[in-house]
Amino acid sequence: MQTPAHSGIAEPLTYLAAAALPAGTLVRVPLGQREVLGVVWGEAAPEAAGVEGPVLRPVAAVLEGLPPLSEGWRDLVDFAARYYQRAVGEVALAGLPPQLRELGADQLARRLARKPRAAADAGPAGDTPRTPTPEQAAVLAELRAGGAGAFLLHGSTGSGKTEVYLQAVAERLAADPEAQALVMVPEINLTPQLEARFVARFGPLYGAGAVVAMHSGMTNPQRLGSWLAAHLGRARIVLGTRMAVFASLPKLALIVVDEEHDPSYKQQEGARYSARDLAVWRGRREGAQVLLGSATPSLESWWGSRPPADGDPGGRYRRLAMPSRVGAGDLPAVRLVDMNLQPPRTRLSAGLVDAIAQRVARGEQSMLLLNRRGYAPVLACGDCGWKSECPHCSAYRVFHKIDRSLRCHHCGFAERVPRACPACGNLDIAPVGRGTERLEEELAELLAGVQRPEADGGGPVRIARIDADSTRHEGELARQLAQVHEGAVDVLVGTQMIAKGHDFRRITLVAAVNPDGALFSSDFRAPERLFSLLMQSGGRAGRDSAWLAAQGSRAEMWIQTFHPQHPLFGALRRHDYPAFAAQQLEERRAASLPPFSFQALLRADARTQEAAQGFLTAASADVEDLPEAAAVQRYPAVPLTIQRVANVERAQMLVESESRVALQRLLAQWHPRLHALRRGPEGQGIIRWLVDVDPQLI
């Protein structure tokens, strides 16, 4: 059941029932003064069942009409709770829709009595199966012959991975009238075309309710409807984000994880699970096939799919390859602009501006990537050195010119831009650096004299910006994306939101304006993320080879950098992910970093940094007596990069071992000691603590 965070109640509680209840049955039970949703996990131990008197409280109600949650689902929850060091009830209840937790037995009965939508509502077919390319056909044949297990599909951008997903799902559903498939995407609002294609492909075959979505952008009633459809077997396909890995699918036959490298699959709040890794575990437990797809796989998956060689038995996954683009379209040519050779304070090189202007004049579209929203990252005074620091965080408030505000992107604190420097009264305070708002403004000035072709209606350049600020209102993202697809936008400016999953047919030029920040980051995963982002965003260019040929144009990716000789850019120019991965893996092996070691973070939030670090230091000393301590390296406690957020000080301690078993054993024995430490003098001032296993952000 759902228990308060850090309550120390990690094990199932025992209640009395009038009759034996099968494991997996959903019930309502009293907890303190509340009545909460619970899941029957099994029969109580004899000593607990024999307790007399008022110790055991009775089950309040059984949610009739719902089949019990399957043993496979409960095993998944058990494993996730054990591996990620969370309470079983927390993980189980997080996997159920919020509205289900509030419904009583009578309310649920009325909800189940509603008739599902008729198959006639599915609408006309809008997406018919396409003849596979030779590479697609080879991949589908290997999947067909491979049986259960995990496969890594390394397909270049535009190689047709989505069509492989569609046809693989179709084959599973056709082979078994009860089979179900789970298709996971990093962020559902960034891949509307994928959802539309699945609905168009399978709705006419299996009815309007054949495809359901599961993601946090849905209302609670919508999430409950999707969960019920999947649990009752009415839905054949669940399309969702990381939360969908816990969907109740009693006849699961196939799991697809699209863009498996994406960090969004790692939950960053509560139970910090990796949905990708849980998908692989779930597939193995339930005998389902798992297909991980990406043009730039995570290094863990790449290493896990290595072929056998020189005594190495190889990885656990089978690697499949689709290196060619559908329609024989070439990948964009990568051009590096050495910003050291540009005039001082150049923001957009003259060559890049000219290349964009030429494309606008031909009726083509361009896309500029700058992974920083707002107008400028900081507002500063040149006289006294004042900067727009957030009073609640150890970070700067970002200047947003559109609404003349200074806004902290960590705690949300916002104020109007001051008329003068708050410290010295100087009227000349100015933005430093730039974000997407400023880039949009600069582009409008630089392209002011450029005209669109008369065939497209003529007129000045149309520039659109897509980031978290411009798409805050419901439906705004879909509206802006529709404008891009319709050709109503000439230049698209945005953050990484525009780099993922979109099939822009008329974009022929993609430019990364300032990607150097990740090259020398203290986070060892930063180069991997940068390479992935650049390769994925470059893949938005030239996706319609026939239209490109008709234009007499070629797809290009421009990268403005102060480090053009960096090996990352060399691999990117060749579109050579294997070479980049080999170089990165060699560096990680030398440094004993994942995937050659296993990590966890112990985090503490407190009123003072001293209290947070003191708690972590005491926690490290508290496990010195454990046998596993010798095999697990515990590093000193340090502040987080952004050490204060919303007036809460944050510190962390990295724990690392070359043995996953040793690390897990230490963490399991550490957990009760941390609860005890929190209640002692070392826990004074501590707001919360948490364990993050296999962290993505260090």
Side-chain angles (χ1 to χ4, degrees):
M1 72 185 61
Q2 194 170 27
T3 54
H6 303 294
S7 64
I9 304 176
E11 300 301 322
L13 301 181
T14 303
Y15 289 85
L16 291 174
L21 297 174
T25 301
L26 290 164
V27 293
R28 303 285 302 179
V29 294
L31 181 66
Q33 301 299 312
R34 304 180 294 146
E35 186 178 282
V36 298
L37 179 68
V39 181
V40 176
W41 221 248
E43 293 186 6
E47 58 270 20
V51 174
E52 297 180 357
V55 177
L56 296 185
R57 303 172 72 179
V59 170
V62 178
L63 298 188
E64 304 282 355
L66 280 181
L69 293 159
S70 70
E71 183 181 3
W73 187 89
R74 300 195 309 277
D75 286 349
L76 173 69
V77 168
D78 260 331
F79 169 77
R82 187 169 62 251
Y83 186 81
Y84 293 105
Q85 303 296 316
R86 309 298 292 200
V88 173
E90 179 189 6
V91 177
L93 271 295
L96 300 175
Q99 195 173 57
L100 185 62
R101 306 174 206 170
E102 309 301 327
L103 292 182
D106 294 338
Q107 294 169 309
L108 180 61
R110 288 195 296 271
R111 183 68 176 79
L112 291 172
R114 295 182 189 175
K115 293 183 178 180
R117 290 181 299 172
D121 294 337
D127 191 274
T128 55
R130 302 170 188 178
T131 302
T133 66
E135 288 180 359
Q136 290 173 336
V139 165
L140 289 167
E142 287 200 54
L143 291 173
R144 211 173 292 125
F151 295 78
L152 175 66
L153 174 56
H154 176 220
S156 68
T157 54
S159 62
K161 292 187 292 294
T162 301
E163 185 62 30
V164 170
Y165 303 155
L166 288 161
Q167 296 205 24
V169 170
E171 289 183 10
R172 297 306 179 283
L173 301 193
D176 182 349
E178 294 184 331
Q180 295 173 298
L182 171 61
V183 180
M184 295 170 59
V185 293
E187 299 175 58
I188 196 72
N189 63 325
L190 301 185
T191 53
Q193 292 172 310
L194 184 65
E195 184 175 6
R197 286 189 66 180
F198 270 86
V199 171
R201 179 75 60 94
F202 296 104
L205 295 174
Y206 300 108
V211 182
V212 298
M214 284 189 185
H215 57 89
S216 58
M218 301 169 67
T219 65
N220 285 344
Q222 288 173 331
R223 287 172 66 176
L224 176 61
S226 294
W227 186 87
L228 288 173
H231 180 62
L232 298 172
R234 297 170 183 164
R236 305 294 303 279
I237 302 166
V238 171
L239 179 65
T241 51
R242 60 177 176 259
M243 69 168 61
V245 75
F246 290 110
S248 177
L249 293 156
K251 297 294 183 180
L252 183 61
L254 174 67
I255 304 176
V256 174
V257 184
D258 188 30
E259 307 294 2
E260 65 86 30
H261 67 277
D262 199 290
S264 298
Y265 285 120
K266 184 69 160 70
Q267 172 79 333
Q268 296 298 336
E269 299 292 338
R272 300 190 169 207
Y273 61 86
S274 166
R276 178 200 63 205
D277 296 346
L278 286 182
V280 173
W281 191 94
R282 185 176 189 179
R284 184 168 65 247
R285 164 60 181 83
E286 302 199 27
Q289 196 170 75
V290 181
L291 178 58
L292 312 173
S294 176
T296 54
S298 65
L299 291 180
E300 284 82 358
S301 295
W302 188 255
W303 177 250
S305 66
R306 68 193 185 280
D310 298 330
D312 182 352
R316 298 174 298 147
Y317 310 158
R318 287 179 56 185
R319 188 183 299 172
L320 311 173
M322 293 198 310
S324 306
R325 275 187 154 186
V326 173
D330 293 330
L331 288 164
V334 177
R335 300 188 59 169
L336 299 178
V337 179
D338 188 345
M339 297 303 288
N340 297 293
L341 305 179
Q342 300 297 314
R345 291 189 291 276
T346 296
R347 295 186 177 94
L348 292 174
S349 65
L352 174 58
V353 174
D354 182 61
I356 295 171
Q358 290 182 30
R359 278 160 174 75
V360 171
R362 293 199 298 263
E364 301 171 18
Q365 295 174 317
S366 301
M367 184 176 94
L368 272 70
L369 177 72
L370 177 62
N371 214 18
R372 177 176 287 162
R373 58 192 173 105
Y375 186 84
V378 63
L379 205 61
C381 172
D383 282 2
C384 71
W386 172 87
K387 293 183 175 64
S388 54
E389 293 179 347
C390 175
H392 309 298
C393 306
S394 53
Y396 295 116
R397 285 175 292 164
V398 175
F399 173 39
H400 290 260
K401 188 175 182 180
I402 290 178
D403 58 3
R404 301 292 298 173
S405 70
L406 292 174
R407 194 179 312 150
C408 177
H409 291 173
H410 299 281
C411 72
F413 177 70
E415 284 184 328
R416 296 286 295 172
V417 172
R419 294 180 179 274
C421 173
C424 71
N426 175 29
L427 295 175
D428 189 18
I429 52 177
V432 178
R434 72 184 148 165
T436 48
E437 284 182 25
R438 192 171 191 177
L439 180 59
E440 179 186 19
E441 180 181 278
E442 292 169 349
L443 266 175
E445 295 173 0
L446 292 169
L447 300 174
V450 179
Q451 295 288 307
R452 296 166 50 243
E454 293 297 330
D456 287 344
V461 178
R462 300 164 301 184
I463 302 174
R465 173 172 54 87
I466 295 182
D467 55 27
D469 297 314
S470 69
T471 58
R472 277 181 295 177
H473 302 296
E474 186 177 355
E476 189 61 25
L477 176 61
R479 186 189 69 79
Q480 293 191 35
L481 289 175
Q483 288 184 328
V484 179
H485 289 298
E486 292 164 4
V489 171
D490 301 307
V491 183
L492 176 62
V493 176
T495 58
Q496 62 179 352
M497 291 178 68
I498 61 178
K500 303 177 185 178
H502 303 296
D503 190 17
F504 300 128
R505 310 303 290 179
R506 294 178 62 178
I507 285 182
T508 60
L509 181 147
V510 171
V513 176
N514 183 24
D516 287 350
L519 291 177
F520 307 104
S521 169
S522 59
D523 182 356
F524 70 90
R525 296 185 193 276
E528 176 186 1
R529 293 198 188 100
L530 176 60
F531 188 89
S532 172
L533 178 62
L534 293 178
M535 199 159 181
Q536 294 280 341
S537 57
R540 302 311 108 201
R543 295 179 73 87
D544 191 336
S545 57
W547 187 82
L548 199 66
Q551 291 288 108
S553 183
R554 65 175 300 190
E556 288 186 335
M557 181 176 192
W558 288 59
I559 298 175
Q560 296 191 159
T561 176
F562 287 95
H563 306 280
Q565 303 305 318
H566 196 283
L568 183 148
F569 295 129
L572 190 69
R573 292 189 72 172
R574 303 187 303 272
H575 302 284
D576 194 349
Y577 172 81
F580 168 77
Q583 178 258 334
Q584 285 290 301
L585 285 170
E586 198 56 43
E587 288 186 6
R588 292 197 188 180
R589 186 197 296 273
S592 292
L593 291 170
F596 305 103
S597 67
F598 305 95
Q599 296 179 332
L601 284 176
L602 177 58
R603 278 264 310 270
D605 295 351
R607 293 302 177 193
T608 66
Q609 186 64 215
E610 292 75 16
Q613 293 194 35
F615 176 80
L616 296 177
T617 302
S620 179
D622 198 39
V623 293
E624 193 65 49
D625 62 316
L626 295 178
E628 292 79 12
V632 179
Q633 176 72 41
R634 303 181 307 285
Y635 291 91
V638 295
L640 269 71
T641 304
I642 307 295
Q643 72 176 57
R644 188 177 81 257
V645 172
N647 293 321
V648 173
E649 293 285 341
R650 311 185 302 166
Q652 66 184 20
M653 180 171 62
L654 178 64
V655 184
E656 187 177 69
S657 176
E658 294 184 1
S659 167
R660 192 197 298 268
V661 172
L663 178 61
Q664 281 290 317
R665 284 178 177 169
L666 179 76
L667 293 176
Q669 295 176 78
W670 209 352
H671 220 76
R673 298 185 181 207
L674 288 167
H675 278 295
L677 201 64
R678 172 70 175 81
R679 293 189 293 268
E682 297 87 350
Q684 297 300 311
I686 297 297
I687 299 171
R688 67 185 71 87
W689 59 267
L690 62 88
V691 176
D692 186 357
V693 181
D694 299 337
Q696 287 291 308
L697 300 172
I698 297 179

